[in-house]
């Protein structure tokens, strides 16, 4: 999600936004943000003229991509966190049971305690699910409503930190990563330079 919005969304937006420019606008934009080393600021620009998009467009797409990635992450993890919270309550009892069964297996010199623990853990997951369903019915909610309760509040809390983290990750990756060639979008009589 993040990579698609960051790359394809940005590319398509720039192509659409700068795609149908008249010649005067092309000259004006190429003079406002000249390409370093072009050396043609005072002469009539040669064709194809190179236009660099506004510097704030790409970070805006990074922010949008981070927001989208955060919402997608919460869509998967939020219901799992509710199930996990219910299941944690059973783990202490299971650990006590595991210690007891292991001790009994040592005393009886049998090796089937692993299977007994496997069955106990499998039963614990079933009990967890049954109790979650019972809680949802008690609250008068469907299972989906119960699993996604509080979803928007948690998502709104998480979006800024995830977006900022992904923007910083992208900036560090560009600074210290392997540099690639600059990307150019070729249009009628001018190029849009993406770096």
């Amino acid at each position: 999600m993040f990579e698609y919005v960051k790359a394809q969304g940005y590319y398509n937006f720039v192509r659409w936004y700068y795609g149908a420019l008249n010649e005067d606008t092309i000259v004006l934009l190429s003079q406002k943000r000249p390409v370093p080393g072009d050396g043609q600021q005072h002469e009539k620009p040669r064709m194809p003229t190179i236009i660099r998009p506004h510097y704030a467009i790409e970070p805006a797409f990074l922010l949008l991509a981070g927001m989208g990635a955060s919402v997608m992450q919460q869509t998967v993890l939020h219901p799992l966190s509710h199930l996990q919270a219910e299941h944690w309550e059973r783990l202490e009892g299971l650990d006590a049971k595991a210690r007891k069964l292991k001790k009994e297996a040592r005393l009886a010199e049998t090796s089937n305690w692993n299977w007994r623990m496997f069955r106990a853990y499998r039963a614990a997951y079933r009990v967890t699910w049954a109790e979650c369903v019972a809680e949802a019915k008690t609250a008068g909610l469907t299972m989906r409503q119960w699993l996604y309760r509080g979803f928007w509040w948690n998502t709104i809390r998480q979006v800024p930190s995830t977006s900022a983290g992904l923007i910083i990750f992208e900036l560090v990756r560009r600074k210290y990563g392997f540099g690639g060639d600059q990307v150019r979008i070729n249009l009628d009589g001018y190029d849009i330079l993406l770096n």
Side-chain angles (χ1 to χ4, degrees):
M1 173 76 178
F2 175 75
E3 290 295 327
Y4 182 79
V5 172
K6 180 190 77 156
Q8 294 301 314
Y10 175 63
Y11 176 80
N12 288 328
F13 177 80
V14 166
R15 189 175 175 90
W16 168 79
Y17 189 75
Y18 292 100
L21 301 175
N22 61 31
E23 191 171 333
D24 294 334
T25 309
I26 294 169
V27 170
L28 178 67
L29 287 174
S30 67
Q31 290 173 350
K32 268 187 170 179
R33 297 196 68 223
V35 177
D38 196 12
Q40 297 181 5
Q41 285 86 2
H42 303 295
E43 316 170 356
K44 181 174 168 53
R46 63 176 167 73
M47 291 299 200
T49 303
I50 298 173
I51 297 173
R52 290 177 38 204
H54 192 274
Y55 64 90
I57 294 175
E58 189 176 14
F61 273 89
L62 285 173
L63 182 67
L64 286 173
M67 291 168 64
S70 182
V71 170
M72 292 297 290
Q73 176 192 25
Q74 280 292 89
T75 301
V76 173
L77 293 181
H78 186 78
L80 291 177
S81 67
H82 285 299
L83 292 172
Q84 182 182 24
E86 290 294 322
H87 189 67
W88 278 111
E89 296 174 5
R90 269 160 228 42
L91 288 182
E92 282 186 30
L94 282 174
D95 289 341
K97 185 175 182 177
R99 284 190 297 273
K100 179 183 168 197
L101 288 175
K102 193 170 189 176
K103 190 176 183 182
E104 289 174 3
R106 276 192 209 139
L107 293 174
E109 295 184 9
T110 60
S111 61
N112 69 346
W113 78 274
N114 287 333
W115 288 107
R116 290 173 69 189
M117 282 311 303
F118 177 75
R119 286 191 300 268
Y121 277 109
R122 185 181 62 195
Y125 285 113
R126 289 180 178 165
V127 169
T128 298
W129 182 255
E131 287 190 11
C132 289
V133 169
E135 276 190 43
K137 284 183 182 177
T138 302
L141 301 170
T142 65
M143 196 60 191
R144 182 178 293 155
Q145 290 171 331
W146 185 82
L147 287 172
Y148 282 97
R149 70 187 191 280
F151 173 77
W152 289 112
W153 175 248
N154 284 332
T155 302
I156 290 169
R157 278 188 319 159
Q158 184 179 349
V159 163
S161 62
T162 303
S163 298
L166 288 171
I167 289 172
I168 291 169
F169 166 76
E170 186 67 24
L171 294 174
V172 169
R173 185 180 68 86
R174 285 187 186 175
K175 178 155 178 84
Y176 297 110
F178 296 114
D181 294 333
Q182 294 179 337
V183 177
R184 290 181 184 228
I185 302 172
N186 299 318
L187 295 173
D188 298 332
Y190 61 96
D191 290 348
I192 302 171
L193 179 66
L194 306 175
N195 22 337

